[in-house]
Amino acid sequence: MRITYFTNHYPAVSHTFIKRELLALESLGHEVQRVSLRGGATLVDEEDRREAERTENLLELSKPVLLRHMLRRLVRRPGAVLGTLGFAIGLGRRTGIGLKVLAYYAEALVLAELCERFGSELVRVHFGTNGATVVRLCRRVGGPAYSVAYHGPDEFDAAERWDIGGVVSESSFVTAITSFCSAQLKRWTPREHWERVRVVRCAVNERFLEVVPLPEDGPRRVCVVARLSAQKGLPVLIEAFAMARDAGLALDIVGDGEFRGELETAVARHGLADRVRFHGSLSGEGVREVLSGASAMVMSSFAEGLPVVLMEAMGLGRPAIAPSIMGIPELV
């Protein structure tokens, strides 16, 4: 089977589950085309760099090439293209996306041409936000059937904006990474389309299923692996470490993001500079090394899907301290 994977940004440090999924499909004999809206991410993993070389970045195509793809789709499917334009405008008004939907429509025209060139039988997209809208429109202009992998929480924070019910109803099938996620999809989807929702959880690399003995020497280290953003609740974790300074724990923070400066300031303000270490973004093997050197893993997130790194930590035999939210209780 020929499958196109369409993503907002691929490859990315935090999207290893997408890479594992498509590589597994290739190992089963399927052919996979990689299409991303944009590239340019700083990659620390050699496997990610190889994936980047195989990925076509839609928005990095030249304007003449983009225009040629759109005109070719119009010539080939004039009725579908013009009909979908009317649908897209109505969708933009109804959901609050507004004129931004015209950009999604243009991307859908180009994606349909790339899929036809490859001979795709299915388009698979991870996350049910703008990418799901693009593949829905792509299908309407004559592109292949589509499947969406829903993770949350972003899709569910704006379920009406991303028209979850409409996307699911027109899909070949969708996958939810947890039972919680499945329930949220069914909340917004008409009953007659619930059978399209299937629970398919994320997987971990086999290297994270080799239990590593807990460290016996040195200070007890606790590890957090996360994108440094508001969603991850890391200021709460820093405050907790300040309150428990007498416990003699050290904290390793793996990841990067827009909150790093604020977190470094908080660490200095609480006098924790000698106990908190910022590692930045690491490769998969680097994450494994830090987790292996920790006595436990901790999360302080306000919202999550199904944290792959939590599975990796437990696969290495590390106790997990995590909030009882969304898909996390299923995992723990």
Side-chain angles (χ1 to χ4, degrees):
M1 185 175 186
R2 292 193 165 201
I3 305 168
T4 295
Y5 266 70
F6 175 67
T7 56
N8 279 339
H9 198 142
Y10 180 82
V13 173
S14 59
H15 293 168
T16 54
F17 48 85
I18 302 176
K19 177 177 63 181
R20 290 173 191 145
E21 184 178 303
L22 65 84
L23 290 177
L25 285 170
E26 287 183 325
S27 73
L28 295 172
H30 300 288
E31 296 182 57
V32 178
Q33 177 189 36
R34 296 144 170 84
V35 180
S36 176
L37 276 179
R38 58 184 61 82
T42 301
L43 302 172
V44 296
D45 194 294
E46 183 57 38
E47 191 174 52
D48 285 341
R49 294 192 186 102
R50 289 196 296 271
E51 284 296 295
E53 292 173 358
R54 302 178 63 187
T55 301
E56 189 163 13
N57 298 310
L58 191 151
L59 294 183
E60 293 178 11
L61 297 174
S62 67
K63 291 181 180 179
V65 171
L66 290 171
L67 183 59
R68 186 164 62 248
H69 282 317
M70 288 187 279
L71 290 176
R72 186 181 294 125
R73 180 58 29 175
L74 175 61
V75 171
R76 288 178 175 176
R77 298 290 187 98
V81 169
L82 295 176
T84 302
L85 176 58
F87 171 81
I89 293 171
L91 181 68
R93 289 172 178 167
R94 177 164 51 85
T95 61
I97 295 176
L99 293 179
K100 189 176 289 187
V101 76
L102 295 179
Y104 303 157
Y105 171 74
E107 291 161 4
L109 296 176
V110 177
L111 179 62
E113 284 298 304
L114 296 179
C115 288
E116 185 159 322
R117 184 184 67 189
F118 183 68
S120 296
E121 301 167 64
L122 180 77
V123 181
R124 173 80 164 157
V125 60
H126 275 264
F127 307 111
T129 52
N130 60 312
T133 302
V134 172
V135 298
R136 183 185 184 186
L137 297 175
C138 175
R139 175 62 171 163
R140 283 177 167 262
V141 297
Y146 68 85
S147 167
V148 179
Y150 281 92
H151 295 253
D154 294 342
E155 302 100 315
F156 307 133
D157 288 344
E160 293 177 317
R161 176 180 179 84
W162 301 119
D163 194 18
I164 286 177
V167 171
V168 174
S169 298
E170 295 182 24
S171 71
S172 177
F173 67 95
V174 302
T175 58
I177 60 170
T178 63
S179 295
F180 172 87
C181 181
S182 172
Q184 294 303 300
L185 293 176
K186 291 175 181 177
R187 173 188 175 193
W188 294 100
T189 300
R191 174 67 183 84
E192 62 266 27
H193 297 298
W194 284 4
E195 73 278 357
R196 299 177 191 268
V197 180
R198 307 170 191 180
V199 177
V200 179
R201 295 179 173 84
C202 300
V204 298
N205 188 292
E206 291 180 355
R207 285 281 286 147
F208 287 90
L209 299 178
E210 303 167 358
V211 175
V212 178
L214 289 166
E216 297 180 358
D217 302 324
R220 289 181 296 168
R221 308 197 69 85
V222 178
C223 176
V224 58
V225 182
R227 181 167 45 89
L228 307 189
S229 65
Q231 197 177 79
K232 302 302 180 180
L234 291 168
V236 175
L237 183 59
I238 300 299
E239 291 178 15
F241 258 75
M243 294 169 65
R245 65 177 69 249
D246 293 338
L249 297 172
L251 175 65
D252 289 296
I253 299 177
V254 178
D256 220 330
E258 63 273 18
F259 261 49
R260 178 160 180 168
E262 180 178 325
L263 293 172
E264 290 175 334
T265 299
V267 166
R269 184 173 66 251
H270 288 294
L272 297 173
D274 60 333
R275 300 202 185 178
V276 178
R277 183 188 305 168
F278 288 88
H279 293 263
S281 297
L282 297 178
S283 66
E285 196 55 39
V287 171
R288 185 181 184 278
E289 182 178 340
V290 175
L291 285 173
S292 298
S295 299
M297 179 181 176
V298 63
M299 300 187 74
S300 55
S301 301
F302 298 140
E304 280 289 350
L306 185 71
V308 172
V309 70
L310 196 56
M311 289 190 276
E312 293 174 338
M314 293 194 290
L316 293 171
R318 295 299 175 265
I321 306 164
S324 183
I325 58 169
M326 307 183 85
I328 290 177
E330 294 179 42
L331 180 57
V332 174

